[in-house]
Amino acid sequence: MSAGSYYKQSAREGMITLQPSATDLQAFKDFANVVPKAAAAAQRRAINKTLRWLRKEIASAVGREERIAVSAVRQRLRAYPTKGSEGGKLWFGINPIEASRTGRPRQTRTGVSVAGRRYQGAFFKRVYGGRADIWIRTHSKHFDAANYPHSDVGKGGRTGWISESENDSRYPLAKAKVSLDEVRPHFEKWVKRADQRLLEVLRQELNYELQKYLGGIKRV
């Protein structure tokens, strides 16, 4: 039975013999038998951990750069495994977000302010749906279509939009929203960082599986 590595010395030389012990050799054999399963488990954990890390990183970066509450950005991010659990996806809804969700709206006599943005002539109130939003009447002297992108009345700007379902013939209203178009150029950077992170985490998880079968940690 192998006792592991050993050495011998003589008057003229020393010799080291490197070999696994019987216990370690059996652990290697056991690990080899379960490599496919262990590798798949390591890959699945690495993907899930990387997706959580990426979701946190994107939410923090977008919230900081676009002056949007991180919690609101996080709600736009959805992580889920792909078919066969061999990969994962992170969905990011980059359609305009309601300005009322970017921070804590504050109503004043002249308008509404939120997250450093100012909507003169607007009001914060529940008009449609189950929650309050920031609105402005389209016939208000303070309404400027250029400041409400993705609307039916004009183009340009970055602060809101108009939906036909949110207007009627008597009181046409525009709901303030914030465009997320500025995040589009960052996707390539995020993909590269996620790829690097996945490789790091995958190495850690594979090492975990190896150590588990070599007795480095308690079997689970």
Side-chain angles (χ1 to χ4, degrees), residues 139-194:
H139 62 255
S140 168
K141 67 178 181 179
H142 299 295
F143 174 73
D144 183 354
N147 293 327
Y148 292 78
H150 311 284
S151 70
D152 296 325
V153 295
K155 298 180 179 180
R158 294 186 57 214
T159 55
W161 76 322
I162 291 179
S163 171
E164 290 182 355
S165 64
E166 294 163 352
N167 291 273
D168 59 35
S169 59
R170 294 181 303 162
Y171 304 108
L173 299 173
K175 181 193 293 185
K177 291 196 174 185
V178 176
S179 173
L180 294 179
D181 285 343
E182 295 297 317
V183 309
R184 295 179 183 275
H186 297 294
F187 273 88
E188 182 177 359
K189 176 183 67 177
W190 291 334
V191 168
K192 290 181 178 179
R193 291 189 61 193

Side-chain angles (χ1 to χ4, degrees), residues 34-158:
V34 298
V35 160
K37 182 179 179 180
Q43 176 177 275
R44 184 169 59 253
R45 291 196 304 270
I47 289 173
N48 291 336
K49 287 183 178 181
T50 303
L51 285 175
R52 290 196 295 269
W53 172 84
L54 184 60
R55 181 172 181 260
K56 179 180 179 182
E57 289 292 306
I58 291 178
S60 178
V62 173
R64 181 176 60 254
E65 295 173 9
E66 300 299 321
R67 293 180 298 164
I68 299 175
V70 173
S71 59
V73 181
R74 194 177 293 121
Q75 291 175 359
R76 291 296 190 92
L77 295 160
R78 296 286 185 274
Y80 57 93
T82 55
K83 186 176 181 180
S85 299
E86 296 180 354
K89 291 185 178 182
L90 181 67
W91 176 86
F92 186 7
I94 56 177
N95 51 308
I97 186 172
E98 289 85 351
S100 60
R101 297 176 59 188
T102 64
R104 188 184 295 260
R106 187 169 64 90
Q107 180 74 62
T108 67
R109 290 185 302 173
T110 58
V112 180
S113 61
V114 58
R117 299 178 177 86
R118 176 70 179 171
Y119 297 92
Q120 190 172 7
F123 56 93
F124 181 59
K125 184 178 181 181
R126 185 175 69 84
V127 178
Y128 299 97
R131 55 170 293 165
D133 276 302
I134 301 173
W135 302 87
I136 188 172
R137 300 188 187 280
T138 55
H139 62 255
S140 168
K141 67 178 181 179
H142 299 295
F143 174 73
D144 183 354
N147 293 327
Y148 292 78
H150 311 284
S151 70
D152 296 325
V153 295
K155 298 180 179 180
R158 294 186 57 214

